[in-house]
Amino acid sequence: MQVDTRRDGTVAVVRFSNPPVNVLSIANGTLDALSQALTGVLADPAVQAVVIASDGRMFSAGADINDFDLHADTLQRMRALTSDLIEGAGKPIVAAIHGMALGGGLELALACHYRICSVDAGLGLPEVTMGVLPGGGGTQRLPRLVGVARALDMMLGAKPVSASEALRIGLVDQIAQSDLLAEAIAWARDLKAVVRTSDRPVADDFGDALVEAGKRAARSRLSDAPAHIVTCAAAAASEPFDRGMAIEADLFEQLRCSESSRGLRHAFAARRKVAQIPGLPSDLGVLPIETVAVIGAGTMGVGIALALLAAGLAVTLIDAKAEALDAAQARVAGTLDGDVAKGRLTAEAATERLGRLALAPAIEAAADADLVIEAVFEDLAVKKAVFTTLDRVCKPSAILASNTSTLDVDAIAAFTDRPQSVIGMHFFSPANIMRLLEVVRGEKTAPSVLATVMALARRIGKVGVVAGVCDGFIGNRIFEEYLRQAYFLLEEGALPAQVDAAMERWGMAMGPLRVMDLAGQDIGWSIRKRRAVEQPDRPYSKIPDRICEMGRFGQKTGAGFYRYADGRTAQIDPEIDALIVAHSAEIGVVRREIDDREIVDRCLLAMANEGAKIVAEGIAYRPLDIDVIYLDGYGFPAERGGPMFQADVIGLDQMLTKMRSFAAGRHGWAWEVAPLLADFAGRGERLASLN
Ligand code: NAD
């Protein structure tokens, strides 16, 4: 039963239910069932007023974003319910809001004639985060209730307001004192008049709010949603209601079909789905994790410890060097103090966290840990020593994880007699801040170990994505192809600032060369040296090596591809530009004009092509896993959905055509087409079908 209707004297109570968050779904019939129930009670002569309420933990999280793709008439159906049926009704309708009322959920309440909410309610229109605007009349009704300035703030900022704030600004009429439903019914019983939000005038005291919002919207480069929201708010302020509704519908439809909204919706759905692991029973129990030992108190170990402490776990940080332990203690305390100073943490919470941290010099201290995360030097011999000892001292149920970025997790597992308990947990630096966690499943990793680590990822606020064992796992293996193209572009005619600017204008948080300067070029240098031996047939540009030979490792040495006078801000360095031009001459390349389109195409297609190989090899379960890694670990813009989503946006046929033209150019060998792409293009299928 999705909608329950009952009578309380002259008041009809219509309660809808669509767990877990009461999405007003077309696909599963919730919206239709609600419409039918309302039609029924409104036609009943014994009913004089109606209360709309819902079951479960919130009023409603809004429309079902899957409907956006499945039902082109989503908007019309929503409006038939809100405008025609609810607002147009001849009997008073009260919305009884408990918990969150978001998006379409709040729009439904805005169309009601009266609103009452519980003290813990939150009301918001976060559609902008999905690259659309409130299309169920929200852009026209909200300004009529709370004023243009406040409405713009809510629609552009996407943050819900609290019950008390909602009462203060006129968004709700009452806050229930104790029993929301009983109070809503009692109130409805006395109501006579129908008060339509659409009949209210818009207060004209909004001053510069539209101008300010326009400036704010202009900062959104990839999505038109903020600008269109401002247009709708302006229409609410100056046009009759029906005209405003028509403008809203038109702009909603443009946004719904836009690449940026489709990208944002894909990102949203992918981030949810990434936790579902194909082949793992959903009821697989997870192992209890309360105490964690982190081995290696260096850069990563300390970041990992901070993340674990923040999630309430007890942490023992182990390092062979006393100085490393002292430094780690100071860094943990310093970071917590900083959080207190910034108001992010109370002094008591910081003390409590610090109280859960123990420091120890020997691996034996990991004996009782439920989970061990190793973060010692990236050297297989060192890892071997650590894992052999762990195998000897740890309790049998312990999970043994390695934070290695490049080594073979199966080889590490083989150092123990319990490879089923060994797994990779590849954190990104700084580990207490970066959200991505690549969870590397070894050949013998037990399903319960995988499920436990994925659950732990969520618990410590990370997005866990499962990767299989290969060099670089998913993220860094793809990044290598991205960088390869970026370096070749330098050899062929581009300069660092042009490559970075092109990628940043396209939406990447930071261009690839600036990323390398930030991460430290020495790491890439050592990988390239290793590659030169392992893969002599896949040459790299020598430009970054030349720069490293000058002792320029990036920000940490004050210079890399750029110069960093203040330690942070990249400044173009003519010396490097000259070095690049000279290098091209040295290797006999006549430099040419390279446009931004070619830069973006080559960098992006190199990523998607490698991604397709990774999917075909089973290293990633689905294309969406790769997208989430890039969205949450590599600064890929959510409006672009991720590299694999982009392959479908470009079209696989078109992608192949472009790759074939690149293959005819310099270093064409790097454009070996992933068979999966050719296969899917041939069959006219989209990669998304694998999600
Ligand atoms: P680091 O050099 O900063 O720290 C390593 C620490 O391990 C040192 O304090 C060292 O004293 C300690 N150590 C070494 N051998 C030990 C042993 N046998 N017993 C106990 N302690 C020992 O290194 P890091 O940058 O933190 O990297 C650690 C691991 O994390 C490496 O596997 C690395 O590949 C991986 N990783 C690093 C990054 C990064 O950006 N730095 C990112 C992801 C993963």
Side-chain angles (χ1 to χ4, degrees), residues 306 309-312 332-356 432:
L306 280 163
L309 290 170
V332 171
T335 306
L336 294 175
D337 285 348
D339 286 348
V340 172
K342 288 182 200 120
R344 291 191 197 136
L345 202 65
T346 63
E348 297 73 45
T351 309
E352 191 274 331
R353 280 189 200 178
L354 209 50
R356 276 187 277 107
N432 51 321

PDB file of all heavy atoms in Angstrom, residues 306 309-312 332-356 432:
ATOM      1  N   LEU A 306      44.303   9.896  11.380  1.00  0.00           N
ATOM      2  CA  LEU A 306      43.367  10.995  11.637  1.00  0.00           C
ATOM      3  C   LEU A 306      41.961  10.649  11.150  1.00  0.00           C
ATOM      4  O   LEU A 306      40.966  10.924  11.837  1.00  0.00           O
ATOM      5  CB  LEU A 306      43.851  12.267  10.934  1.00  0.00           C
ATOM      6  CG  LEU A 306      44.954  13.055  11.645  1.00  0.00           C
ATOM      7  CD1 LEU A 306      45.620  14.025  10.679  1.00  0.00           C
ATOM      8  CD2 LEU A 306      44.389  13.810  12.857  1.00  0.00           C
ATOM      9  N   LEU A 309      40.467   8.084  13.592  1.00  0.00           N
ATOM     10  CA  LEU A 309      40.129   8.697  14.884  1.00  0.00           C
ATOM     11  C   LEU A 309      38.831   9.509  14.754  1.00  0.00           C
ATOM     12  O   LEU A 309      37.970   9.474  15.633  1.00  0.00           O
ATOM     13  CB  LEU A 309      41.262   9.603  15.365  1.00  0.00           C
ATOM     14  CG  LEU A 309      42.551   8.894  15.815  1.00  0.00           C
ATOM     15  CD1 LEU A 309      43.674   9.907  16.034  1.00  0.00           C
ATOM     16  CD2 LEU A 309      42.322   8.065  17.081  1.00  0.00           C
ATOM     17  N   ALA A 310      38.694  10.200  13.635  1.00  0.00           N
ATOM     18  CA  ALA A 310      37.502  11.030  13.434  1.00  0.00           C
ATOM     19  C   ALA A 310      36.237  10.181  13.408  1.00  0.00           C
ATOM     20  O   ALA A 310      35.148  10.654  13.718  1.00  0.00           O
ATOM     21  CB  ALA A 310      37.626  11.829  12.133  1.00  0.00           C
ATOM     22  N   ALA A 311      36.382   8.903  13.016  1.00  0.00           N
ATOM     23  CA  ALA A 311      35.204   8.029  12.931  1.00  0.00           C
ATOM     24  C   ALA A 311      34.984   7.234  14.209  1.00  0.00           C
ATOM     25  O   ALA A 311      34.148   6.336  14.247  1.00  0.00           O
ATOM     26  CB  ALA A 311      35.358   7.088  11.744  1.00  0.00           C
ATOM     27  N   GLY A 312      35.756   7.541  15.252  1.00  0.00           N
ATOM     28  CA  GLY A 312      35.509   6.910  16.552  1.00  0.00           C
ATOM     29  C   GLY A 312      36.273   5.621  16.803  1.00  0.00           C
ATOM     30  O   GLY A 312      36.013   4.932  17.796  1.00  0.00           O
ATOM     31  N   VAL A 332      49.376  14.839  14.509  1.00  0.00           N
ATOM     32  CA  VAL A 332      47.980  14.546  14.853  1.00  0.00           C
ATOM     33  C   VAL A 332      47.453  15.646  15.774  1.00  0.00           C
ATOM     34  O   VAL A 332      46.395  16.243  15.520  1.00  0.00           O
ATOM     35  CB  VAL A 332      47.845  13.160  15.525  1.00  0.00           C
ATOM     36  CG1 VAL A 332      46.431  12.964  16.066  1.00  0.00           C
ATOM     37  CG2 VAL A 332      48.191  12.051  14.533  1.00  0.00           C
ATOM     38  N   ALA A 333      48.228  15.948  16.835  1.00  0.00           N
ATOM     39  CA  ALA A 333      47.784  16.969  17.791  1.00  0.00           C
ATOM     40  C   ALA A 333      47.634  18.319  17.096  1.00  0.00           C
ATOM     41  O   ALA A 333      46.649  19.043  17.307  1.00  0.00           O
ATOM     42  CB  ALA A 333      48.771  17.055  18.951  1.00  0.00           C
ATOM     43  N   GLY A 334      48.590  18.640  16.231  1.00  0.00           N
ATOM     44  CA  GLY A 334      48.560  19.926  15.529  1.00  0.00           C
ATOM     45  C   GLY A 334      47.327  20.045  14.631  1.00  0.00           C
ATOM     46  O   GLY A 334      46.680  21.093  14.579  1.00  0.00           O
ATOM     47  N   THR A 335      47.010  18.948  13.920  1.00  0.00           N
ATOM     48  CA  THR A 335      45.843  18.983  13.031  1.00  0.00           C
ATOM     49  C   THR A 335      44.564  19.160  13.842  1.00  0.00           C
ATOM     50  O   THR A 335      43.683  19.956  13.483  1.00  0.00           O
ATOM     51  CB  THR A 335      45.756  17.676  12.200  1.00  0.00           C
ATOM     52  OG1 THR A 335      47.008  17.491  11.542  1.00  0.00           O
ATOM     53  CG2 THR A 335      44.639  17.747  11.180  1.00  0.00           C
ATOM     54  N   LEU A 336      44.466  18.424  14.958  1.00  0.00           N
ATOM     55  CA  LEU A 336      43.266  18.539  15.796  1.00  0.00           C
ATOM     56  C   LEU A 336      43.159  19.949  16.381  1.00  0.00           C
ATOM     57  O   LEU A 336      42.076  20.545  16.387  1.00  0.00           O
ATOM     58  CB  LEU A 336      43.285  17.485  16.902  1.00  0.00           C
ATOM     59  CG  LEU A 336      43.173  16.022  16.425  1.00  0.00           C
ATOM     60  CD1 LEU A 336      43.314  15.050  17.593  1.00  0.00           C
ATOM     61  CD2 LEU A 336      41.859  15.773  15.691  1.00  0.00           C
ATOM     62  N   ASP A 337      44.298  20.494  16.847  1.00  0.00           N
ATOM     63  CA  ASP A 337      44.295  21.868  17.374  1.00  0.00           C
ATOM     64  C   ASP A 337      43.812  22.843  16.304  1.00  0.00           C
ATOM     65  O   ASP A 337      43.033  23.766  16.581  1.00  0.00           O
ATOM     66  CB  ASP A 337      45.705  22.283  17.823  1.00  0.00           C
ATOM     67  CG  ASP A 337      46.067  21.620  19.147  1.00  0.00           C
ATOM     68  OD1 ASP A 337      45.156  21.056  19.795  1.00  0.00           O
ATOM     69  OD2 ASP A 337      47.265  21.645  19.520  1.00  0.00           O
ATOM     70  N   GLY A 338      44.306  22.635  15.094  1.00  0.00           N
ATOM     71  CA  GLY A 338      43.905  23.503  13.975  1.00  0.00           C
ATOM     72  C   GLY A 338      42.400  23.440  13.762  1.00  0.00           C
ATOM     73  O   GLY A 338      41.750  24.461  13.534  1.00  0.00           O
ATOM     74  N   ASP A 339      41.847  22.217  13.853  1.00  0.00           N
ATOM     75  CA  ASP A 339      40.399  22.055  13.669  1.00  0.00           C
ATOM     76  C   ASP A 339      39.628  22.768  14.784  1.00  0.00           C
ATOM     77  O   ASP A 339      38.565  23.352  14.538  1.00  0.00           O
ATOM     78  CB  ASP A 339      40.021  20.564  13.642  1.00  0.00           C
ATOM     79  CG  ASP A 339      40.422  19.904  12.327  1.00  0.00           C
ATOM     80  OD1 ASP A 339      40.771  20.650  11.386  1.00  0.00           O
ATOM     81  OD2 ASP A 339      40.411  18.665  12.248  1.00  0.00           O
ATOM     82  N   VAL A 340      40.178  22.722  15.995  1.00  0.00           N
ATOM     83  CA  VAL A 340      39.534  23.421  17.114  1.00  0.00           C
ATOM     84  C   VAL A 340      39.577  24.932  16.857  1.00  0.00           C
ATOM     85  O   VAL A 340      38.564  25.634  16.984  1.00  0.00           O
ATOM     86  CB  VAL A 340      40.212  23.076  18.464  1.00  0.00           C
ATOM     87  CG1 VAL A 340      39.661  23.954  19.587  1.00  0.00           C
ATOM     88  CG2 VAL A 340      40.026  21.597  18.785  1.00  0.00           C
ATOM     89  N   ALA A 341      40.750  25.410  16.444  1.00  0.00           N
ATOM     90  CA  ALA A 341      40.906  26.845  16.205  1.00  0.00           C
ATOM     91  C   ALA A 341      39.946  27.320  15.116  1.00  0.00           C
ATOM     92  O   ALA A 341      39.412  28.425  15.172  1.00  0.00           O
ATOM     93  CB  ALA A 341      42.351  27.158  15.809  1.00  0.00           C
ATOM     94  N   LYS A 342      39.708  26.459  14.098  1.00  0.00           N
ATOM     95  CA  LYS A 342      38.811  26.852  12.998  1.00  0.00           C
ATOM     96  C   LYS A 342      37.344  26.627  13.358  1.00  0.00           C
ATOM     97  O   LYS A 342      36.461  26.844  12.525  1.00  0.00           O
ATOM     98  CB  LYS A 342      39.155  26.057  11.744  1.00  0.00           C
ATOM     99  CG  LYS A 342      40.462  26.499  11.103  1.00  0.00           C
ATOM    100  CD  LYS A 342      40.763  25.715   9.829  1.00  0.00           C
ATOM    101  CE  LYS A 342      42.225  25.782   9.467  1.00  0.00           C
ATOM    102  NZ  LYS A 342      42.900  24.482   9.412  1.00  0.00           N
ATOM    103  N   GLY A 343      37.098  26.114  14.567  1.00  0.00           N
ATOM    104  CA  GLY A 343      35.715  25.924  15.001  1.00  0.00           C
ATOM    105  C   GLY A 343      35.072  24.661  14.436  1.00  0.00           C
ATOM    106  O   GLY A 343      33.864  24.478  14.516  1.00  0.00           O
ATOM    107  N   ARG A 344      35.890  23.778  13.841  1.00  0.00           N
ATOM    108  CA  ARG A 344      35.323  22.557  13.253  1.00  0.00           C
ATOM    109  C   ARG A 344      35.136  21.461  14.292  1.00  0.00           C
ATOM    110  O   ARG A 344      34.487  20.450  14.043  1.00  0.00           O
ATOM    111  CB  ARG A 344      36.280  21.996  12.189  1.00  0.00           C
ATOM    112  CG  ARG A 344      36.388  22.840  10.966  1.00  0.00           C
ATOM    113  CD  ARG A 344      37.133  22.040   9.890  1.00  0.00           C
ATOM    114  NE  ARG A 344      37.619  22.932   8.856  1.00  0.00           N
ATOM    115  CZ  ARG A 344      38.820  22.873   8.316  1.00  0.00           C
ATOM    116  NH1 ARG A 344      39.674  21.939   8.707  1.00  0.00           N
ATOM    117  NH2 ARG A 344      39.178  23.719   7.380  1.00  0.00           N
ATOM    118  N   LEU A 345      35.776  21.645  15.438  1.00  0.00           N
ATOM    119  CA  LEU A 345      35.807  20.592  16.453  1.00  0.00           C
ATOM    120  C   LEU A 345      35.838  21.280  17.811  1.00  0.00           C
ATOM    121  O   LEU A 345      36.454  22.331  17.953  1.00  0.00           O
ATOM    122  CB  LEU A 345      37.111  19.811  16.237  1.00  0.00           C
ATOM    123  CG  LEU A 345      37.258  18.393  16.757  1.00  0.00           C
ATOM    124  CD1 LEU A 345      36.286  17.480  16.041  1.00  0.00           C
ATOM    125  CD2 LEU A 345      38.678  17.891  16.521  1.00  0.00           C
ATOM    126  N   THR A 346      35.187  20.661  18.818  1.00  0.00           N
ATOM    127  CA  THR A 346      35.294  21.246  20.152  1.00  0.00           C
ATOM    128  C   THR A 346      36.598  20.747  20.787  1.00  0.00           C
ATOM    129  O   THR A 346      37.139  19.712  20.379  1.00  0.00           O
ATOM    130  CB  THR A 346      34.125  20.808  21.050  1.00  0.00           C
ATOM    131  OG1 THR A 346      34.206  19.378  21.223  1.00  0.00           O
ATOM    132  CG2 THR A 346      32.782  21.170  20.438  1.00  0.00           C
ATOM    133  N   ALA A 347      37.066  21.474  21.782  1.00  0.00           N
ATOM    134  CA  ALA A 347      38.308  21.090  22.459  1.00  0.00           C
ATOM    135  C   ALA A 347      38.138  19.721  23.115  1.00  0.00           C
ATOM    136  O   ALA A 347      39.060  18.894  23.104  1.00  0.00           O
ATOM    137  CB  ALA A 347      38.677  22.146  23.500  1.00  0.00           C
ATOM    138  N   GLU A 348      36.924  19.453  23.633  1.00  0.00           N
ATOM    139  CA  GLU A 348      36.683  18.155  24.296  1.00  0.00           C
ATOM    140  C   GLU A 348      36.783  17.025  23.274  1.00  0.00           C
ATOM    141  O   GLU A 348      37.390  15.992  23.537  1.00  0.00           O
ATOM    142  CB  GLU A 348      35.291  18.091  24.944  1.00  0.00           C
ATOM    143  CG  GLU A 348      35.032  19.073  26.072  1.00  0.00           C
ATOM    144  CD  GLU A 348      34.858  20.498  25.573  1.00  0.00           C
ATOM    145  OE1 GLU A 348      34.137  20.709  24.576  1.00  0.00           O
ATOM    146  OE2 GLU A 348      35.480  21.406  26.164  1.00  0.00           O
ATOM    147  N   ALA A 349      36.183  17.241  22.098  1.00  0.00           N
ATOM    148  CA  ALA A 349      36.210  16.188  21.077  1.00  0.00           C
ATOM    149  C   ALA A 349      37.644  15.923  20.636  1.00  0.00           C
ATOM    150  O   ALA A 349      38.042  14.771  20.415  1.00  0.00           O
ATOM    151  CB  ALA A 349      35.346  16.586  19.888  1.00  0.00           C
ATOM    152  N   ALA A 350      38.438  16.990  20.535  1.00  0.00           N
ATOM    153  CA  ALA A 350      39.836  16.817  20.119  1.00  0.00           C
ATOM    154  C   ALA A 350      40.593  15.996  21.163  1.00  0.00           C
ATOM    155  O   ALA A 350      41.353  15.076  20.821  1.00  0.00           O
ATOM    156  CB  ALA A 350      40.493  18.187  19.930  1.00  0.00           C
ATOM    157  N   THR A 351      40.362  16.308  22.434  1.00  0.00           N
ATOM    158  CA  THR A 351      41.041  15.577  23.508  1.00  0.00           C
ATOM    159  C   THR A 351      40.613  14.115  23.499  1.00  0.00           C
ATOM    160  O   THR A 351      41.425  13.207  23.656  1.00  0.00           O
ATOM    161  CB  THR A 351      40.681  16.206  24.880  1.00  0.00           C
ATOM    162  OG1 THR A 351      40.914  17.597  24.785  1.00  0.00           O
ATOM    163  CG2 THR A 351      41.498  15.622  26.007  1.00  0.00           C
ATOM    164  N   GLU A 352      39.319  13.912  23.258  1.00  0.00           N
ATOM    165  CA  GLU A 352      38.797  12.542  23.235  1.00  0.00           C
ATOM    166  C   GLU A 352      39.431  11.755  22.090  1.00  0.00           C
ATOM    167  O   GLU A 352      39.838  10.607  22.245  1.00  0.00           O
ATOM    168  CB  GLU A 352      37.264  12.611  23.105  1.00  0.00           C
ATOM    169  CG  GLU A 352      36.522  11.297  23.317  1.00  0.00           C
ATOM    170  CD  GLU A 352      36.424  10.482  22.044  1.00  0.00           C
ATOM    171  OE1 GLU A 352      36.402  11.070  20.939  1.00  0.00           O
ATOM    172  OE2 GLU A 352      36.381   9.243  22.156  1.00  0.00           O
ATOM    173  N   ARG A 353      39.550  12.406  20.931  1.00  0.00           N
ATOM    174  CA  ARG A 353      40.172  11.716  19.786  1.00  0.00           C
ATOM    175  C   ARG A 353      41.620  11.355  20.086  1.00  0.00           C
ATOM    176  O   ARG A 353      42.069  10.240  19.821  1.00  0.00           O
ATOM    177  CB  ARG A 353      40.142  12.611  18.545  1.00  0.00           C
ATOM    178  CG  ARG A 353      38.808  12.589  17.867  1.00  0.00           C
ATOM    179  CD  ARG A 353      38.846  13.287  16.532  1.00  0.00           C
ATOM    180  NE  ARG A 353      37.489  13.637  16.158  1.00  0.00           N
ATOM    181  CZ  ARG A 353      37.137  14.293  15.070  1.00  0.00           C
ATOM    182  NH1 ARG A 353      38.058  14.677  14.226  1.00  0.00           N
ATOM    183  NH2 ARG A 353      35.880  14.559  14.815  1.00  0.00           N
ATOM    184  N   LEU A 354      42.326  12.328  20.619  1.00  0.00           N
ATOM    185  CA  LEU A 354      43.742  12.094  20.928  1.00  0.00           C
ATOM    186  C   LEU A 354      43.881  10.953  21.936  1.00  0.00           C
ATOM    187  O   LEU A 354      44.824  10.163  21.886  1.00  0.00           O
ATOM    188  CB  LEU A 354      44.351  13.388  21.483  1.00  0.00           C
ATOM    189  CG  LEU A 354      45.836  13.623  21.242  1.00  0.00           C
ATOM    190  CD1 LEU A 354      46.214  13.435  19.777  1.00  0.00           C
ATOM    191  CD2 LEU A 354      46.226  15.023  21.701  1.00  0.00           C
ATOM    192  N   GLY A 355      42.888  10.854  22.832  1.00  0.00           N
ATOM    193  CA  GLY A 355      42.906   9.799  23.852  1.00  0.00           C
ATOM    194  C   GLY A 355      42.755   8.411  23.250  1.00  0.00           C
ATOM    195  O   GLY A 355      43.099   7.409  23.883  1.00  0.00           O
ATOM    196  N   ARG A 356      42.230   8.340  22.031  1.00  0.00           N
ATOM    197  CA  ARG A 356      42.071   7.027  21.383  1.00  0.00           C
ATOM    198  C   ARG A 356      43.291   6.645  20.557  1.00  0.00           C
ATOM    199  O   ARG A 356      43.299   5.622  19.892  1.00  0.00           O
ATOM    200  CB  ARG A 356      40.811   7.017  20.520  1.00  0.00           C
ATOM    201  CG  ARG A 356      39.546   6.705  21.318  1.00  0.00           C
ATOM    202  CD  ARG A 356      38.322   6.522  20.434  1.00  0.00           C
ATOM    203  NE  ARG A 356      37.720   7.810  20.091  1.00  0.00           N
ATOM    204  CZ  ARG A 356      37.778   8.393  18.906  1.00  0.00           C
ATOM    205  NH1 ARG A 356      38.405   7.797  17.918  1.00  0.00           N
ATOM    206  NH2 ARG A 356      37.205   9.557  18.702  1.00  0.00           N
ATOM    207  N   ASN A 432      43.459  12.145   5.380  1.00  0.00           N
ATOM    208  CA  ASN A 432      42.354  12.565   6.254  1.00  0.00           C
ATOM    209  C   ASN A 432      41.381  13.471   5.505  1.00  0.00           C
ATOM    210  O   ASN A 432      40.296  13.748   5.987  1.00  0.00           O
ATOM    211  CB  ASN A 432      42.885  13.271   7.511  1.00  0.00           C
ATOM    212  CG  ASN A 432      43.863  14.379   7.197  1.00  0.00           C
ATOM    213  OD1 ASN A 432      44.677  14.244   6.291  1.00  0.00           O
ATOM    214  ND2 ASN A 432      43.795  15.465   7.926  1.00  0.00           N
TER     215      ASN A 432
END
